[in-house]
């Protein structure tokens, strides 16, 4: 049955006149579509954003076909058809348009059919972009990131010197609160914290809610004489007071990252402010949370450098481990000084950064998981080299360093098994070195791995003994074949009789559980003389050779027999 259109005895010109007035105070685009003649009037702002030829559109269906997303066009034309035939008087659709710069834009289009004084069916309505983020936040009543960007960009362009500080505040444990106490509890805390910030800052200071649990304070207010550090302390105290009043039913703390140096504002954009304050806030959290960190340009540059190194490493790995090389350092018998093995030590050379120390690139690879493919590369290289050198020294062994990340995040045992089989070496030619740490006893995966290694006759060495955790008790449990005493501990023992006695006792104890000791970092004859009296089994140090390439190693130590 045909529905009767709303008969409005107004002229098209009158409608357009009214729409032009409303347009000035709105973000939406308005339109009047003459369904009888397929012509349309749209707002000037819509012409700017979408490929309408002008505000007067002839052949409207053809033009819309170009603007509406191809997958949505059919549905739209059916809906318009229903309006044109009088079957419906309301048009209400959410679908996609394509902007002049070829972006997909989600829109909500609403319209009402009216019949003009000259009996044309007109669809009159508005189009709103729904992908645009809301500018205000209903939870806290504050303005949101979109507004922050608009406001700060205006200040940064006109008068960056006016900004005293930008403070990004984050709740330290917001995820836990949401998970444990529910989303309402989370919203309450956001609301509470927002009030707390509003009460603390001068009334002319701007506050925004950014993503999830973060707020931004921008003090560009001429009347305010506040200092960022005082504001943070005050907010922190208020939060603690609120938590106490609620008898710790919802416990939380806040951290802050602050940008206040003038040079960090001049010539900057909102993205920069977001990035730099985010870095400072992360620093505060990294330093232990519940504190404020001032943006530190040097630390930020270091961070950028680490990112750039990580990127270069990633590219090199993809490029068949270009730039990586495994060096070998001799390990000798402490009594005969005969060569019995070598430690495989990774090297990485980059075009931009030159030779980078393992102390720098290993942690970067650990953070990013890149140590897993590179660790495999070292394992295979070392195993192949060991097999080759066993032609000269049949019981030669190679030590390979392992990272905890490899144990936790990869199937290390599978890799080791595969490597031994593929390369064809005896399992006991491989010694896996693991830095001593408190993890060893507490992580069941590590204990399981040790058990499996033992069953498969692969040896384990505890590396850097004496630098950290140094607990004798677990050495027996994990049946390490070797304990490697770190150079720093050896140096202390050389200078200090007490430490020397400690090392002697440790060596005796290690022997008593059937393990052997390798002393690392012996550089000079006099060091060797003294440390030998402590009775180590193996020695590794510059005195017997620095780490070098496989070719150099062969040249120096295996020349005659290979
Ligand atoms: P580490 O496993 O304790 O290796 C011994 C380090 O001491 C090596 O440093 C070696 O060059 C150095 N060294 C040996 N003898 C002497 C000496 O007489 N005097 C001095 N001053 N130093 C000596 P390098 O090659 O810089 O490696 C540092 C650390 O990087 C290694 O310590 C190890 O923890 C890590 N690393 C190296 N390669 C790898 C690898 O392939 N995988 C993993 N996960 N870590 C590795
Ligand atoms: Mg080592
Ligand atoms: Mg070591």
């Amino acid at each position: 049955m045909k529905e009767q259109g709303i008969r409005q005895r107004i002229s098209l010109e009158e409608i357009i006149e009214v729409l032009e007035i409303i347009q000035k105070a709105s973000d939406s685009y308005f339109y009047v579509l003459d369904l009888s003649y397929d012509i349309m009037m749209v707002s000037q702002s819509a012409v700017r954003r979408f490929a309408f030829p002008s505000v007067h559109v002839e052949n409207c269906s053809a033009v819309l076909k170009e603007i509406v997303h191809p997958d949505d066009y059919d549905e739209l034309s059916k809906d318009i058809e229903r309006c044109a035939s009088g079957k419906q008087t309301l048009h209400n659709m959410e679908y996609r348009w394509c902007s002049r710069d070829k972006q997909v834009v989600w829109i909500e289009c609403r319209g009402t059919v009216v019949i003009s004084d000259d009996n044309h069916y007109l669809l009159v309505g508005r189009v709103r972009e729904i992908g645009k983020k809301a500018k205000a936040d209903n939870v806290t009543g504050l303005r949101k990131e979109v507004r922050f960007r608009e406001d700060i960009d205006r200040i940064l362009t006109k008068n960056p010197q006016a900004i005293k500080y930008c403070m990004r505040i984050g709740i330290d444990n917001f995820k836990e609160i949401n998970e444990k106490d529910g989303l309402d509890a989370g919203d309450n805390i956001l609301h509470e914290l927002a009030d707390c910030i509003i009460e603390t800052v001068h009334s002319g200071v701007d506050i925004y809610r950014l993503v999830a649990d973060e707020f931004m304070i921008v003090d560009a207010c001429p009347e305010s004489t506040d200092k960022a550090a005082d504001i943070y302390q005050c907010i922190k105290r208020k939060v603690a007071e609120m938590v106490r009043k609620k008898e710790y039913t919802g416990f939380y703390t806040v951290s802050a990252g602050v940008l206040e140096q003038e040079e960090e504002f001049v010539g900057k954009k909102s993205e920069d402010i977001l990035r730099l304050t985010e870095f400072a806030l992360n620093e505060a959290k990294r330093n232990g949370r519940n504190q404020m960190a001032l943006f530190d340009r040097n630390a930020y540059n270091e961070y950028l450098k680490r990112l750039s190194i990580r990127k270069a490493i990633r590219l090199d790995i993809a490029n068949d481990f270009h730039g990586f090389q495994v060096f070998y350092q001799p390990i000798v018998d402490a009594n005969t000084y005969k060569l019995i093995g070598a430690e495989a030590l990774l090297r990485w050379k980059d075009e931009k950064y030159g030779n980078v120390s393992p102390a720098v690139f290993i942690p970067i690879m650990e953070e990013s998981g890149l140590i897993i493919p590179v660790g495999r590369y070292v394992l295979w290289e070392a195993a192949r080299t060991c097999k080759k050198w066993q032609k000269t020294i049949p019981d030669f062994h190679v030590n390979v360093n392992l990272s905890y990340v490899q144990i936790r995040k990869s199937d290390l045992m599978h890799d080791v098994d595969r490597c031994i089989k593929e390369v064809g070496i005896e399992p006991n030619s491989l010694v896996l070195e693991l830095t001593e740490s408190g993890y060893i006893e507490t992580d069941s995966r590590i204990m399981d791995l040790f058990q499996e290694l033992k069953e498969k006759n692969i040896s384990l060495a505890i590396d850097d003994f004496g630098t950290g955790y140094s607990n004798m008790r677990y050495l027996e449990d994990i049946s390490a074949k070797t304990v490697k005493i770190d150079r720093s501990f050896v140096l202390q023992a050389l200078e200090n009789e007490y430490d020397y006695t400690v090392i002697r006792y440790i060596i005796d104890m290690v022997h008593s559980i059937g393990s052997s000791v390798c002393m690392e970092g012996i550089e000079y004859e006099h060091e060797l003389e003294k440390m030998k009296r402590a009775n180590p089994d193996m020695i590794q140090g510059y005195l017997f050779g620095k780490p070098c390439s496989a070719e150099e190693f062969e040249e120096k130590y295996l020349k005659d027999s290979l």
Side-chain angles (χ1 to χ4, degrees):
M1 203 190 77
K2 242 183 167 188
E3 245 179 67
Q4 191 55 41
I6 302 166
R7 195 167 291 270
Q8 309 271 329
R9 291 284 163 209
I10 52 172
S11 69
L12 183 58
E13 285 69 31
E14 278 170 333
I15 298 176
I16 291 169
E17 220 169 273
V18 173
L19 291 185
E20 270 173 2
I21 297 167
I22 308 173
Q23 178 70 71
K24 294 199 176 83
S26 170
D27 272 352
S28 299
Y29 314 111
F30 292 93
Y31 66 88
V32 183
L33 171 61
D34 187 327
L35 297 163
S36 314
Y37 284 83
D38 198 26
I39 54 173
M40 180 161 83
M41 284 278 306
V42 285
S43 317
Q44 185 64 50
S45 53
V47 179
R48 275 196 296 274
R49 181 123 165 92
F50 304 97
F52 291 108
S54 74
V55 291
H56 298 273
V57 185
E58 307 274 335
N59 276 333
C60 183
S61 333
V63 172
L64 279 175
K65 196 157 190 176
E66 295 302 310
I67 291 173
V68 173
H69 192 282
D71 294 348
D72 297 341
Y73 184 77
D74 282 351
E75 205 185 324
L76 172 70
S77 51
K78 278 183 206 147
D79 202 81
I80 291 182
E81 184 45 45
R82 282 194 291 274
C83 293
S85 62
K87 284 187 184 140
Q88 69 183 37
T89 53
L90 291 177
H91 165 71
N92 185 2
M93 270 182 72
E94 277 183 12
Y95 65 104
R96 289 160 291 179
W97 280 9
C98 299
S99 63
R100 282 187 183 272
D101 55 0
K102 306 277 178 279
Q103 301 279 323
V104 173
V105 181
W106 273 98
I107 55 123
E108 177 199 68
C109 182
R110 292 195 171 173
T112 309
V113 178
V114 297
I115 301 171
S116 66
D117 53 0
D118 49 0
N119 278 332
H120 287 200
Y121 273 64
L122 306 177
L123 183 64
V124 183
R126 64 113 178 89
V127 170
R128 188 170 65 95
E129 288 187 28
I130 48 180
K132 272 190 184 170
K133 284 186 210 149
K135 291 188 179 178
D137 171 34
N138 291 336
V139 176
T140 60
L142 294 175
R143 282 160 294 183
K144 289 179 80 169
E145 185 180 322
V146 198
R147 260 308 283 277
F148 162 75
R149 285 175 182 268
E150 287 171 8
D151 294 353
I152 195 93
D153 276 334
R154 206 176 322 110
I155 307 175
L156 288 168
T157 319
K158 276 197 199 142
N159 187 13
Q161 285 84 0
I163 308 173
K164 287 195 242 357
Y165 68 84
C166 287
M167 183 187 297
R168 188 167 180 144
I169 296 183
I171 300 175
D172 290 326
N173 46 340
F174 192 64
K175 205 165 154 258
E176 283 160 44
I177 297 171
N178 270 341
E179 280 167 7
K180 273 208 320 261
D181 305 333
L183 297 180
D184 284 347
D187 280 358
N188 270 339
I189 283 175
L190 286 173
H191 190 82
E192 233 172 60
L193 178 57
D195 285 349
C196 198
I197 300 174
I198 296 166
E199 275 171 29
T200 309
V201 300
H202 192 279
S203 59
V205 169
D206 293 315
I207 310 163
Y208 306 85
R209 176 166 172 219
L210 303 180
V211 285
D213 61 331
E214 289 181 6
F215 296 83
M216 182 76 90
I217 308 176
V218 178
D219 188 344
C221 166
E223 291 82 37
S224 143
T225 51
D226 294 339
K227 296 259 176 305
D230 298 339
I231 292 292
Y232 171 71
Q233 285 308 329
C234 188
I235 293 170
K236 186 173 149 176
R237 267 198 306 274
K238 282 190 176 158
V239 165
E241 177 62 13
M242 239 152 24
V243 168
R244 194 187 60 76
K245 265 197 204 144
K246 285 166 61 183
E247 294 177 334
Y248 302 93
T249 44
F251 179 77
Y252 68 100
T253 52
V254 293
S255 295
V258 170
L259 197 60
E260 63 175 12
Q261 299 90 335
E262 192 183 308
E263 66 268 23
E264 300 299 352
F265 296 117
V266 177
K268 296 288 165 60
K269 290 237 157 53
S270 51
E271 287 97 73
D272 301 311
I273 308 299
L274 284 169
R275 213 158 14 88
L276 303 190
T277 50
E278 184 181 19
F279 175 77
L281 176 58
N282 285 341
E283 287 282 283
K285 290 190 178 182
R286 253 197 300 278
N287 293 340
R289 301 168 155 196
N290 197 22
Q291 57 188 284
M292 183 190 104
L294 277 181
F295 174 76
D296 176 346
R297 184 41 70 177
N298 291 334
Y300 186 65
N301 288 342
E302 270 300 309
Y303 161 77
L304 291 182
K305 187 175 167 190
R306 282 204 306 278
L307 284 188
S308 147
I309 290 180
R310 187 166 80 193
K311 194 170 158 204
I313 290 177
R314 210 181 280 280
L315 286 175
D316 277 354
I317 294 174
N319 194 5
D320 205 17
F321 296 96
H322 173 263
F324 286 102
Q325 199 181 358
V326 179
F327 269 29
Y328 298 88
Q329 184 178 28
I331 298 175
V332 302
D333 182 296
N335 296 311
T336 61
Y337 302 148
K338 270 198 179 146
L339 179 68
I340 52 171
E343 177 171 4
L345 293 159
L346 185 62
R347 296 292 177 262
W348 180 63
K349 188 174 181 176
D350 176 67
E351 269 160 32
K352 182 168 169 199
Y353 297 108
N355 286 314
V356 181
S357 158
V360 172
F361 71 76
I362 299 272
I364 293 176
M365 295 201 303
E366 289 183 326
E367 277 160 28
S368 53
L370 294 172
I371 191 76
I372 293 170
V374 177
R376 258 183 224 126
Y377 157 84
V378 176
L379 187 63
W380 257 260
E381 282 288 321
R384 281 195 212 104
T385 308
C386 180
K387 181 162 169 141
K388 187 176 177 199
W389 293 348
Q390 280 179 344
K391 287 183 198 147
T392 313
I393 304 171
D395 49 5
F396 192 88
H397 62 81
V398 71
N399 289 25
V400 174
N401 290 286
L402 285 188
S403 151
Y404 283 99
V405 177
Q406 287 169 276
I407 300 178
R408 294 222 173 101
K409 299 193 175 158
S410 73
D411 190 349
L412 185 75
M413 208 53 237
H414 175 74
D415 285 342
V416 173
D417 265 343
R418 210 159 57 87
C419 174
I420 288 173
K421 285 200 190 89
E422 269 180 34
V423 178
I425 52 165
E426 289 302 318
N428 64 3
S429 313
L430 200 59
V431 181
L432 300 179
E433 293 194 6
L434 198 65
T435 303
E436 62 153 358
S437 85
Y439 297 134
I440 292 184
E441 286 170 295
T442 50
D443 192 327
S444 62
R445 275 167 302 187
I446 300 179
M447 294 310 275
D448 292 349
L449 177 82
F450 290 165
Q451 188 57 36
E452 233 183 311
L453 289 174
K454 194 171 155 189
E455 283 162 15
K456 295 198 162 140
N457 207 15
I458 299 162
S459 310
L460 184 80
I462 292 300
D463 205 358
D464 302 341
F465 195 83
T467 53
Y469 188 66
S470 301
N471 183 345
M472 286 299 298
R473 201 168 52 78
Y474 69 80
L475 285 182
E476 193 168 5
D477 294 346
I478 63 175
S479 50
K481 183 186 167 211
T482 310
V483 173
K484 297 188 80 179
I485 297 182
D486 191 68
R487 171 169 164 77
S488 57
F489 199 10
V490 171
L491 283 180
Q492 280 174 35
L494 285 166
E495 283 175 8
N496 175 317
E497 274 314 302
Y498 173 76
D499 285 324
Y500 182 72
T501 314
V502 172
I503 280 201
R504 289 188 61 145
Y505 279 127
I506 287 176
I507 294 179
D508 282 350
M509 269 193 280
V510 172
H511 285 159
S512 74
I513 58 169
S515 304
S516 56
V517 170
C518 176
M519 217 170 245
E520 287 191 289
I522 302 287
E523 290 186 0
Y524 301 101
E525 281 290 346
H526 71 272
E527 294 178 354
L528 176 68
E529 241 167 69
K530 179 160 185 185
M531 295 318 289
K532 250 193 79 171
R533 272 182 266 129
N535 206 16
D537 305 275
M538 288 165 271
I539 299 203
Q540 179 184 344
Y542 290 175
L543 182 63
F544 293 97
K546 288 187 174 181
C548 61
S549 69
E551 296 74 37
E552 211 179 319
F553 196 97
E554 288 168 8
E555 180 71 24
K556 276 190 181 152
Y557 312 109
L558 308 162
K559 195 177 176 191
D560 303 329
S561 22
L562 259 182

